[in-house]
Amino acid sequence: MSFIRTLDGDIDPSELGFTYSHEHIVCRPAYWAERDADDLLLDDPAKSELDVRAFQSHGGQAIVDATAVDYGRDVPAVYQIYKNTGVKIVGTAGFNKSFLWDAKIKEELKPLIGNYETYAQWIDESTVNQLADFVIREVEEGLEGTPFKAGQVKFGTGYNRISPLEIKTLQAVARAHHETKAPVHSHTEVGTMGLEQLELLRREKVDLHYLSLGHMDRNPDPYYHDQIARTGAYLSFDGIGKIKYAPESTRIELILSLVRKGYEDQILVSGDTARKTYYKYYDHGLGLEYIIGTWVPRFIEEANRAGFDGQKLIEKFFIHNPAACFSFKR
């Protein structure tokens, strides 16, 4: 039996529909708030909802919210957006990356985890099993003490490095995965350290078919992508629209390169839309509608020119692959 766990309960994978696989909807990361980095604070649920509705107006049906506990989640606000729009939302348990962990823990969390001052202190002074227990509770009971449960578990690593605390959170997330069967997602900084993450997960006996690796398009290296795809893991191309990193032609060619090698069932696509300036209704950006409204038609055209059925590939990347990737398999 398999199912997908949304904030509103478990559904059959066939019910998920057209899905963005890595987004941020409402979040106030303490690390950025403490540095007055307003662009990185998605702090107006009404504006976030307008972007979700724009995505929905083009046929969008589900969003995986990859916001972990150390990135300033507002779980009730995101759940309310689901209730207002009907767009299904998958929440995330686990952790992000170590440079964020100097930030202060919000007071509402302390009754759940103990009276730690920073995320670094919490992770450093807790055992792997204690951290795993927290992640398990977020999957099985609810995120941050709410009744809204996580549908995936997450860890992350830094740019060309993996710190001891990041290894600790990876181990905790692996144990939570074994206990709950939740799918696993990883943050890779600028697309690096993916192969090293895979090796650490193998040591934790994680079946890599349960794993999706984020930000693969930030490291536009076809050989690297091929090495990851050979393991059975999913590759998330979630920087669509971010031309400052690479043109869309580069991302499309990276994806088609994997398709040519037979890995079309392991590709996910999204935008990681985590700044006000990326959102249409915060600051006139491309918004959540860009991928489904603009990028998808372009991809179909380019894929067709390359001899593929572009529409069928889009259905794989946004419907069939998310339904498989984000399933709990009992």
Side-chain angles (χ1 to χ4, degrees):
M1 181 186 86
S2 63
F3 62 88
I4 289 171
R5 178 156 291 165
T6 75
L7 293 182
D8 199 49
D10 297 347
I11 62 172
D12 188 272
S14 64
E15 298 177 62
L16 191 64
F18 190 103
T19 302
Y20 284 175
S21 297
H22 184 124
E23 297 295 341
H24 300 277
I25 301 173
V26 181
C27 55
R28 303 172 184 87
Y31 181 89
W32 297 120
E34 290 165 10
R35 288 156 178 80
D36 296 319
D38 183 67
D39 190 30
L40 284 149
L41 308 180
L42 300 179
D43 52 6
D44 188 331
K47 291 177 180 177
S48 295
E49 181 177 323
L50 289 172
D51 261 278
V52 171
R53 288 187 181 277
F55 162 70
Q56 185 180 41
S57 73
H58 288 274
Q61 295 168 290
I63 295 172
V64 178
D65 186 335
T67 311
V69 67
D70 49 9
Y71 207 71
R73 295 180 303 208
D74 187 335
V75 180
V78 173
Y79 178 76
Q80 190 60 50
I81 289 173
Y82 151 71
K83 293 296 287 184
N84 293 347
T85 65
V87 172
K88 294 177 282 291
I89 297 174
V90 175
T92 298
F95 308 91
N96 199 302
K97 55 192 174 185
S98 61
F99 87 74
L100 297 170
W101 296 340
D102 290 336
K104 292 181 180 179
I105 294 173
K106 57 186 178 181
E107 292 299 318
E108 301 92 319
L109 264 179
K110 291 184 179 181
L112 301 174
I113 66 174
N115 195 35
Y116 302 104
E117 290 303 313
T118 67
Y119 291 97
Q121 182 191 12
W122 172 34
I123 294 166
D124 183 46
E125 296 183 11
S126 300
T127 67
V128 171
N129 282 340
Q130 286 171 329
L131 295 172
D133 286 343
F134 174 79
V135 178
I136 291 165
R137 287 198 303 273
E138 293 220 307
V139 174
E140 296 187 339
E141 299 176 16
L143 293 159
E144 296 186 25
T146 72
F148 314 124
K149 302 173 184 177
Q152 68 172 1
V153 294
K154 176 181 179 179
F155 69 91
T157 60
Y159 172 62
N160 274 342
R161 61 190 286 275
I162 301 180
S163 73
L165 291 188
E166 289 168 342
I167 291 174
K168 196 172 189 179
T169 57
L170 179 153
Q171 292 169 336
V173 164
R175 294 183 193 185
H177 159 73
H178 287 307
E179 178 68 24
T180 66
K181 306 305 180 190
V184 182
H185 177 67
S186 81
H187 167 89
T188 67
E189 190 73 5
V190 198
T192 65
M193 307 306 287
L195 294 173
E196 291 80 1
Q197 288 183 2
L198 297 178
E199 182 56 36
L200 289 168
L201 289 170
R202 284 192 184 99
R203 295 179 193 175
E204 298 297 320
K205 311 299 183 187
V206 172
D207 180 343
L208 299 180
H209 293 85
Y210 283 93
L211 172 70
S212 60
L213 294 96
H215 316 317
M216 289 292 95
D217 44 339
R218 290 292 308 277
N219 188 354
D221 182 342
Y223 177 83
Y224 175 67
H225 295 163
D226 179 74
Q227 295 301 107
I228 291 172
R230 287 170 181 265
T231 71
Y234 292 85
L235 295 89
S236 184
F237 292 82
D238 47 29
I240 308 301
K242 297 178 181 177
I243 310 306
K244 63 184 179 181
Y245 300 133
E248 300 297 4
S249 57
T250 296
R251 296 186 187 87
I252 289 172
E253 183 52 38
L254 290 170
I255 291 169
L256 291 179
S257 176
L258 286 170
V259 172
R260 291 185 186 98
K261 297 170 184 174
Y263 297 123
E264 64 268 20
D265 293 337
Q266 295 167 238
I267 296 169
L268 304 170
V269 178
S270 202
D272 186 19
T273 312
R275 291 177 179 264
K276 283 184 169 75
T277 47
Y278 295 161
Y279 265 78
K280 180 177 181 179
Y281 291 96
Y282 277 98
D283 198 15
H284 314 290
L286 296 176
L288 292 180
E289 68 183 351
Y290 171 74
I291 296 175
I292 191 170
T294 302
W295 187 87
V296 163
R298 173 179 172 169
F299 179 87
I300 291 172
E301 181 180 344
E302 293 209 32
N304 288 346
R305 287 180 183 174
F308 301 104
D309 186 327
Q311 182 61 43
K312 284 188 177 179
L313 288 176
I314 288 297
E315 290 171 4
K316 279 185 177 289
F317 304 160
F318 291 98
I319 300 175
H320 303 301
N321 293 354
C325 176
F326 300 110
S327 288
F328 289 61
K329 300 175 180 69
R330 298 289 188 188

